[in-house]
């Protein structure tokens, strides 16, 4: 396989990067940690104005008919910024599910608003009952007994759960699986959710790649400024080797995420293996980079007042989301052995 991102894809990535650099600063992430979501809401609004939230919807539904290859770069940038909010659930899962399976009344009520970024979606598959970013959503899309339901958030019973990443606001959810919330019956719900899970896994892998890049950038900047015995600690071979190893891990993970996005977009026969490879590599790499970043920062890196702390916590949360590295290595083994 040989492919390169187009100029348009790179331009969209750069636009999102500029928005996040300007509006999703570490101060905004910290505000969400402390229970203040105004800054994050502003970022979401700006992304919605650019068309990012509904980009994977068809043009007939108000979207841009873009694919996973278009979105993977954007998810990487949202990881770099540690963006708070259910972007993966809305962009990669919720909007495509609504477009594929919503009834006419559900399309009228939810789809256009979701594509426009005016409505935030969280999703849970069969056997799951916990959602992230549970203080901001408007609707829950859920798989239950091989059916899909679209439930307004005010009809969902949500119990707050403790999260390692305070900006993710976990909650255990339950709802009444009633006919008014049931989505169309003339679609293959199992296939739709299998695709949704793969999309969420690839998007999360890309976010982990972005998180790795940000932690490495933080670490490089720190070791240039931090001095011991009159010299920057970055001049020490031991520090250089740690950061070089972190860079190698990150550079191995990135193309895996890109390959998985390409396989999804082209419906490649190897898509299941490619998605699991991406998540396994991205999870391992992000956790490795987090360890090296913490090591070169020393104790200050683990203090809650220091920005690196928030990025490490996001890594630990996302590395376990949508299957950890061990889970995906087991899936790969099932396919190739």
């Amino acid at each position: 396989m040989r492919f390169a991102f187009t100029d348009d894809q790179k331009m969209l990535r750069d636009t999102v990067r500029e928005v996040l650099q300007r509006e999703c600063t570490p101060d905004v992430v910290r505000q969400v940690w402390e229970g203040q979501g105004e800054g994050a809401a502003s970022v979401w609004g700006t992304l919605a104005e650019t068309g990012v939230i509904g980009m994977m919807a068809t043009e007939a539904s108000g979207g841009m008919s873009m694919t996973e290859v278009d979105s993977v770069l954007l998810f990487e940038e949202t990881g770099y910024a540690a963006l708070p909010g259910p972007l993966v659930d809305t962009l990669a899962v919720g909007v495509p599910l609504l477009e594929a399976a919503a009834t006419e009344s559900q399309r009228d009520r939810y789809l256009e608003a979701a594509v426009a970024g005016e409505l935030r979606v969280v999703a849970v598959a069969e056997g799951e009952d916990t959602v992230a970013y549970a203080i901001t959503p408007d609707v829950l899309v859920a798989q239950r007994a091989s059916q899909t339901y679209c439930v307004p958030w005010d009809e969902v019973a949500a119990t707050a759960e403790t999260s390692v990443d305070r900006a993710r606001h976990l909650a255990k959810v339950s709802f009444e699986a009633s006919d008014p919330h049931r989505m169309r019956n003339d679609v293959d719900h199992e296939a739709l959710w299998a695709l949704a899970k793969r999309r969420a896994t690839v998007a999360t892998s890309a976010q982990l790649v972005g998180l790795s890049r940000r932690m490495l950038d933080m670490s490089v900047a720190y070791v240039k400024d931090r001095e011991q015995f009159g010299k920057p600690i970055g001049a020490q071979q031991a520090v250089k080797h740690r950061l070089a190893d972190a860079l190698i891990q990150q550079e191995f993970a990135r193309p895996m995420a890109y390959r998985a996005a390409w396989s999804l977009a082209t419906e490649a026969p190897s898509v299941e293996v490619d998605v699991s490879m991406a998540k396994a590599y991205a999870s391992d790499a992000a956790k490795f980079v987090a360890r090296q970043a913490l090591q070169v920062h020393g104790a200050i890196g683990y203090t809650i007042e220091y920005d690196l702390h928030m990025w490490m916590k996001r890594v630990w949360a996302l590395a376990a989301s949508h299957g950890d590295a061990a889970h995906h290595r087991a899936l790969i083994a099932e396919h190739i052995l």
Side-chain angles (χ1 to χ4, degrees), residues 125 127 141 153 193 201 229 234 240 266 275 302 306 329 334:
V141 175
W153 190 250
W193 277 97
T201 302
F229 309 112
K240 291 179 180 179
T266 60
V275 170
Y302 200 72
Y306 197 75
R329 280 194 289 267
E334 290 178 8

Side-chain angles (χ1 to χ4, degrees), residues 84-154:
L87 189 68
V88 171
D89 276 14
T90 301
L91 194 165
V93 179
V95 168
L97 280 173
L98 284 168
E99 186 169 35
T103 64
E104 285 301 319
S105 62
Q106 289 168 344
R107 289 178 69 91
D108 292 342
R109 183 175 180 183
Y110 302 120
L111 181 57
E112 183 178 345
V115 170
E118 299 167 358
L119 181 149
R120 303 186 191 199
V121 183
V122 291
V124 286
E126 190 78 61
E128 301 175 358
D129 61 1
T130 302
V131 300
Y133 306 107
I135 64 168
T136 57
D138 300 290
V139 64
L140 170 71
V141 175
Q143 182 189 31
R144 292 291 182 270
S146 299
Q147 294 292 321
T148 306
Y149 295 85
C150 185
V151 189
W153 190 250
D154 58 11

Side-chain angles (χ1 to χ4, degrees), residues 50-317:
T50 66
V52 165
I53 307 298
M55 61 184 289
M56 292 182 67
T58 63
E59 293 181 15
S61 296
M64 295 188 284
S65 298
M66 290 187 171
T67 71
E68 293 82 3
V69 176
D70 300 294
S71 65
V72 68
L73 291 175
L74 310 189
F75 283 118
E76 183 179 344
E77 293 304 319
T78 63
Y80 189 88
L83 175 71
L87 189 68
V88 171
D89 276 14
T90 301
L91 194 165
V93 179
V95 168
L97 280 173
L98 284 168
E99 186 169 35
T103 64
E104 285 301 319
S105 62
Q106 289 168 344
R107 289 178 69 91
D108 292 342
R109 183 175 180 183
Y110 302 120
L111 181 57
E112 183 178 345
V115 170
E118 299 167 358
L119 181 149
R120 303 186 191 199
V121 183
V122 291
V124 286
E126 190 78 61
E128 301 175 358
D129 61 1
T130 302
V131 300
Y133 306 107
I135 64 168
T136 57
D138 300 290
V139 64
L140 170 71
V141 175
Q143 182 189 31
R144 292 291 182 270
S146 299
Q147 294 292 321
T148 306
Y149 295 85
C150 185
V151 189
W153 190 250
D154 58 11
E155 297 183 34
V156 175
T159 304
E161 297 279 307
T162 301
S163 173
V164 66
D165 176 3
R166 294 186 198 171
R168 293 183 75 235
H169 301 110
L170 295 182
K172 187 170 290 187
V173 298
S174 62
F175 64 95
E176 183 179 354
S178 59
D179 286 340
H181 302 318
R182 192 193 305 268
M183 300 176 79
R184 285 166 40 203
N185 289 319
D186 60 339
V187 296
D188 187 342
H189 292 274
E190 294 294 333
L192 287 177
W193 277 97
L195 177 57
K197 290 177 185 176
R198 292 184 191 124
R199 283 173 169 159
T201 302
V202 173
T204 302
S205 301
Q207 288 187 324
L208 285 163
V209 171
L211 287 159
S212 298
R213 182 161 54 92
R214 182 61 172 271
M215 292 186 298
L216 186 55
D217 286 351
M218 288 179 179
S219 299
V220 170
Y222 179 78
V223 301
K224 287 180 177 179
D225 291 339
R226 177 76 166 89
E227 292 188 356
Q228 281 186 339
F229 309 112
K231 293 183 179 180
I233 63 173
Q236 300 176 18
Q237 287 289 350
V239 173
K240 291 179 180 179
H241 289 167
R242 286 187 180 277
L243 297 183
D245 289 343
L247 177 62
I248 290 170
Q249 291 287 326
Q250 172 195 300
E251 291 301 312
F252 270 108
R254 178 182 288 108
M256 293 295 181
Y258 295 169
R259 169 59 192 254
W262 181 87
S263 295
L264 268 175
T266 60
E267 300 180 358
S270 61
V271 62
E272 293 183 40
V273 171
D274 294 338
V275 170
S276 287
M277 289 280 283
K279 186 57 166 63
Y281 268 84
S283 297
D284 283 345
K287 291 168 69 176
F288 181 85
V289 175
R291 286 196 300 272
Q292 305 314 309
L294 180 59
Q295 187 68 35
V296 300
H297 277 83
I300 192 175
Y302 200 72
T303 60
I304 198 169
E305 294 82 10
Y306 197 75
D307 290 342
L308 177 66
H309 183 98
M310 298 185 292
W311 268 255
M312 290 193 301
K313 289 292 184 73
R314 181 66 57 85
V315 164
W316 298 335

